[in-house]
Amino acid sequence: MSLRVLGVDPGLTRCGLGVVDVAGDRRATMVAVGVVGTAAEQPLDQRLLVIANAIDEWLDRHQPHVVAVERVFSQQNVSTVMGVAQVSGVVIAAAARRGIPVALHTPSEVKAAVTGSGRADKEAVTRMVTKILRLGVAPRPADAADALALAITHAWRAGSGAAAATSAPGHASLTPAQKAWAEAEARARRGR
């Protein structure tokens, strides 16, 4: 059984979204990819509403087992960090309303998972995402490729162990101890 992950590269101007199914053998298949854009001239509340509506639509349409969101990176400028944090909050709340677990991954974790180097540039990430997903055309813009990379990273990091099993259907085959361990890992990832 495969694990379906919605990856979200949060941003106010461009919010990347990518849905990936990953089988137990780590073979990843793209389900959907896109970018939700808002104009800087729009009021903040309207920008967040556009993104919230898009997230709701993607969650309802694709029904992921887990949502992977890029963790806010503190070395960016303050206004960028605030926008990313606000969009991240919208995404996390939308997933929580549906009982979908959320995992946060840093940009360097994602780069290392898909390219082998935590210092890879966006072009290297895009190339590897294209290769991993066996796509004929690279996903553009980079925000779309980054969202797919987040989804792949989460699925690969969760692996076939107990953490992935709580998010995927059919986790009833785990022992009570495995279920407890997986639930504790999921809570820790969500910051509880």
Side-chain angles (χ1 to χ4, degrees), residues 3-190:
L3 177 67
R4 177 164 287 187
V5 184
L6 168 61
V8 180
D9 182 31
L12 274 172
T13 304
R14 285 183 316 275
C15 180
L17 303 169
V19 180
V20 174
D21 284 343
V22 180
D25 65 359
R26 296 174 49 115
R27 184 175 170 90
T29 305
M30 184 180 77
V31 175
V33 66
V35 174
V36 178
T38 65
E41 308 81 49
Q42 287 181 287
L44 176 63
D45 59 337
Q46 292 304 306
R47 294 178 83 182
L48 290 173
L49 181 60
V50 166
I51 294 167
N53 288 339
I55 294 298
D56 285 340
E57 180 186 329
W58 277 65
L59 290 171
D60 292 343
R61 182 185 320 149
H62 299 294
Q63 300 188 2
H65 301 122
V66 64
V67 175
V69 181
E70 184 174 278
R71 185 182 297 273
V72 176
F73 192 56
S74 63
Q75 290 184 351
Q76 297 172 346
N77 68 51
V78 175
S79 63
T80 301
V81 169
M82 288 302 297
V84 169
Q86 290 163 331
V87 172
S88 295
V90 165
V91 172
I92 292 166
R97 278 194 302 275
R98 291 163 176 79
I100 301 170
V102 175
L104 301 173
H105 298 283
T106 65
S108 59
E109 282 178 89
V110 174
K111 291 173 185 178
V114 298
T115 71
S117 170
R119 296 176 186 251
D121 63 13
K122 286 191 174 287
E123 204 47 48
V125 171
T126 298
R127 273 193 313 275
M128 286 307 297
V129 164
T130 303
K131 183 177 179 179
I132 291 165
L133 295 173
R134 301 165 315 282
L135 302 175
V137 177
R140 298 279 182 216
D143 310 87
D146 288 349
L148 291 168
L150 276 154
I152 293 165
T153 297
H154 180 75
W156 283 0
R157 287 188 145 229
S160 59
T166 57
S167 303
H171 71 274
S173 61
L174 296 176
T175 68
Q178 288 171 322
K179 286 180 189 175
W181 178 262
E183 289 165 5
E185 281 185 307
R187 278 194 304 276
R189 280 195 192 95
R190 291 190 303 263

